[in-house]
Amino acid sequence: MLKSQRINQISDYINQHQTVALDDLVTVFGVSKNTIRRDVQELVESGEYKKVYGGVSVNRTRLEPFQDRKTRNLRQKQLIAKKAASYLADGDVIFIDSGTTTLEIVEFIKTLDLTIITNNLDFIIHALPFENLNVISTGGVLERKTKSFASFIKQDILKSHNINKAFMASAGVSIKNGVTNSSPLESDLKRTVVERSSEVFLLVDHNKFDQHAVMTYCDIQEIDVLITDSVPPNKYTEYAQEHNIQLIIAD
């Protein structure tokens, strides 16, 4: 196998597992540990990965292109979005966060009469055909990497609406670092939404647990309902019970 092919396959393997041990890479790819170290170093220098003790991990402080995130774990994201949509009813005033999982909700609310506040550009575009969805944009600067509006100066839109339910996304969730995201421009908006909403839903697939990105926008205990696609590690189920967080597994 050519070196370039091996490095591409190692990259795919790390993306799939999020964090892997060097010894695992040696076994999977059948090369020496020194070769793996050199390959990993090359990947780390690209900025997309970072070294961790005994291994390598996806660098969540670096924002991945939206399309790459959108296609990863698509089926799981659709299951999570469908479960989230089941909590909605006609007349709700909701917030839809930027993110690839929250984007999928639009497919499951086409027949409902909702007022939707969002900074999610793709959600706005997908909602255009459905006149029963009253969509309000937060406005602000367009963040192309996340296809969302961010860094808005006035928060009058959020403060003037009583949001029943907010559906939030995250680049990583950990008990130590809370609910995090990779775009500093969006953090103020996300914090305001969490503060202003009667009920906060966090939508994350299983790969987001024990990960964190550059900015924390709320503590896990500020979440009312956490929807994911498989049972998270025990410490999260215990944390949810202790803090009255409803943990929902979408399947």
Side-chain angles (χ1 to χ4, degrees):
M1 183 188 299
L2 295 174
K3 177 183 177 181
S4 59
Q5 292 176 323
R6 184 179 66 249
I7 288 179
N8 285 337
Q9 290 184 15
I10 291 173
S11 174
D12 290 340
Y13 189 84
I14 298 170
N15 286 336
Q16 181 182 357
H17 294 84
Q18 299 296 299
T19 299
V20 296
L22 294 183
D23 289 341
D24 289 343
L25 294 176
V26 169
T27 301
V28 171
F29 293 96
V31 295
S32 70
K33 197 162 189 176
N34 284 337
T35 298
I36 286 297
R37 284 197 180 101
R38 288 193 294 269
D39 290 347
V40 165
Q41 181 60 35
E42 189 168 327
L43 289 170
V44 168
E45 288 173 359
S46 74
E48 296 184 6
Y49 306 95
K50 63 181 179 180
K51 290 181 180 179
V52 296
Y53 182 76
V56 60
S57 174
V58 173
N59 185 2
R60 289 193 173 273
T61 64
R62 181 181 183 274
L63 193 59
E64 295 177 85
F66 184 89
Q67 193 59 35
D68 290 351
R69 291 182 289 117
K70 184 177 185 298
T71 55
R72 185 177 300 132
N73 297 327
L74 180 58
R75 178 58 180 160
Q76 291 93 325
K77 292 174 182 179
Q78 290 170 337
L79 288 172
I80 293 169
K82 183 177 181 180
K83 178 61 71 172
S86 70
Y87 286 86
L88 292 173
D90 287 338
D92 277 341
V93 178
I94 69 173
F95 179 83
I96 299 292
D97 195 11
S98 63
T100 55
T101 303
T102 48
L103 171 61
E104 298 298 327
I105 293 177
V106 72
E107 294 299 318
F108 305 103
I109 59 173
K110 296 174 180 178
T111 61
L112 295 177
D113 292 310
L114 302 170
T115 295
I116 302 166
I117 304 168
T118 186
N119 63 332
N120 191 324
L121 177 59
D122 271 6
F123 187 95
I124 294 170
I125 294 170
H126 282 71
L128 279 175
F130 310 108
E131 295 183 2
N132 48 302
L133 302 179
N134 178 31
V135 179
I136 302 171
S137 168
T138 59
V141 177
L142 176 62
E143 173 67 275
R144 285 176 172 80
K145 290 182 179 179
T146 58
K147 289 192 176 181
S148 65
F149 295 106
S151 191
F152 67 120
I153 298 174
K154 293 185 177 181
Q155 299 181 354
D156 294 346
I157 290 174
L158 295 177
K159 292 180 179 178
S160 63
H161 286 79
N162 296 315
I163 302 172
N164 301 126
K165 297 158 186 167
F167 296 90
M168 308 301 296
S170 175
V173 180
S174 72
I175 293 174
K176 177 181 178 181
N177 295 293
V179 185
T180 62
N181 73 296
S182 299
S183 175
L185 291 176
E186 294 184 348
S187 292
D188 285 345
L189 185 150
K190 291 175 185 285
R191 289 191 195 102
T192 301
V193 169
V194 170
E195 292 169 1
R196 289 286 303 163
S197 301
S198 299
E199 196 170 15
V200 179
F201 294 72
L202 180 63
L203 280 53
V204 289
D205 62 61
H206 65 280
N207 287 323
K208 302 293 179 63
F209 290 96
D210 280 338
Q211 303 291 332
H212 67 273
V214 65
M215 300 292 292
T216 297
Y217 69 84
C218 74
D219 293 328
I220 303 179
Q221 64 197 51
E222 296 179 73
I223 302 300
D224 298 295
V225 183
L226 195 162
I227 305 178
T228 187
D229 59 301
S230 62
V231 178
N234 285 339
K235 61 184 176 181
Y236 290 97
T237 59
E238 293 170 0
Y239 187 95
Q241 291 174 349
E242 290 172 4
H243 294 87
N244 274 332
I245 301 168
Q246 189 176 0
L247 178 62
I248 305 296
I249 310 302
D251 50 23

